[in-house]
Amino acid sequence: MNRILIVEDEEAISTLIRLNLARAGYQCETAFDGVEAANLMQERSYDLVLLDVMLPGINGYEVLEYAKALGIPVIFLTAMGETEQKVKGLMAGAEDYIAKPFELTELLARVTTVLRRYNKTTQHLRFLDIEIDTEAMTVTKGGEPVKLTHKEYDLLVLFARNQNRTLYRETIYENVWGGEYSDRGRTVDLHVHRLKKKLDLEEHIVAMYKIGYRLEL
Ligand code: CA
């Protein structure tokens, strides 16, 4: 289970990265300034930090020092054309950098490479007789392939990464659909229901009355 911290003050970019990494099977958290990032890194554990250079408060280079002290690899996100920043970033000890705007496939490739370098990849998620290949984005049950929609897949990965943990409907909605929850409980319920049926998880994905759902194993 790879946990990635996204440190980026532009909300649209942060959301885009978070959704795509979540879809690829990573568990993501976000920070919108340097202080928040440093606090999160000290409180929780991450396998990788994606770090914007220009941040309000303390900048990316200072945040990099925190990450290095904790042994967490960093990929810098730099604005296009800022060659000087890239060089400075690598000299300062970042594992890699990627220039904005970037192709999401390129970002994913770099994330995978750095995690591999640190022996932190978990390509396969398994529970019960279900296996998720987070690189191929395929799912099998008892060795047989199962066809899921994008949202069902994202939902399954979220449950797989949060076994025996209650997930609020709001959390589920934000992780799978992105954006404001504002009473979209029905959407969540509908997709959870379909996922349970497709994978025969009726007994394992438990509804927590008025709260959300939990994958119980
Ligand atoms: Ca910025």
Side-chain angles (χ1 to χ4, degrees), residues 8-10 52 54-55 100:
E8 166 63 72
D9 60 321
E10 280 173 68
D52 183 22
M54 303 301 285
L55 290 167
K100 294 186 276 188

Side-chain angles (χ1 to χ4, degrees), residues 47-176:
D47 297 310
L48 176 69
V49 178
L50 294 179
L51 182 59
D52 183 22
V53 176
M54 303 301 285
L55 290 167
I58 63 175
N59 71 30
Y61 297 111
E62 290 170 82
V63 177
L64 174 65
E65 293 305 316
Y66 273 86
K68 277 200 318 198
L70 296 166
I72 312 170
V74 168
I75 297 177
F76 261 131
L77 306 172
T78 66
M80 203 166 76
E82 290 167 334
T83 318
E84 219 171 278
Q85 282 193 350
K86 294 169 192 169
V87 174
K88 194 176 167 192
L90 291 173
M91 299 269 287
E95 283 296 321
D96 205 349
Y97 66 85
I98 186 159
K100 294 186 276 188
F102 45 77
E103 293 290 329
L104 287 161
T105 48
E106 191 192 353
L107 176 72
L108 284 169
R110 285 176 190 238
V111 164
T112 310
T113 304
V114 171
L115 288 171
R116 277 220 184 100
R117 200 180 294 153
Y118 274 69
N119 283 323
K120 286 182 170 177
T121 45
T122 45
Q123 189 186 336
H124 297 270
L125 296 170
R126 295 183 189 88
F127 66 93
L128 303 170
D129 61 346
I130 294 165
E131 183 168 334
I132 309 165
D133 182 331
T134 56
E135 267 184 26
M137 287 174 65
T138 53
V139 176
T140 57
K141 179 175 170 59
E144 295 294 315
V146 180
K147 266 197 171 252
L148 298 179
T149 64
H150 263 317
K151 294 300 177 201
E152 287 163 356
Y153 173 84
D154 291 350
L155 198 53
L156 179 66
V157 169
L158 184 68
F159 278 122
R161 292 197 178 287
N162 291 280
Q163 297 170 14
N164 299 310
R165 200 181 292 166
T166 299
L167 297 170
Y168 286 91
R169 277 194 181 77
E170 288 88 336
T171 309
I172 295 173
Y173 189 82
E174 284 165 16
N175 271 278
V176 175

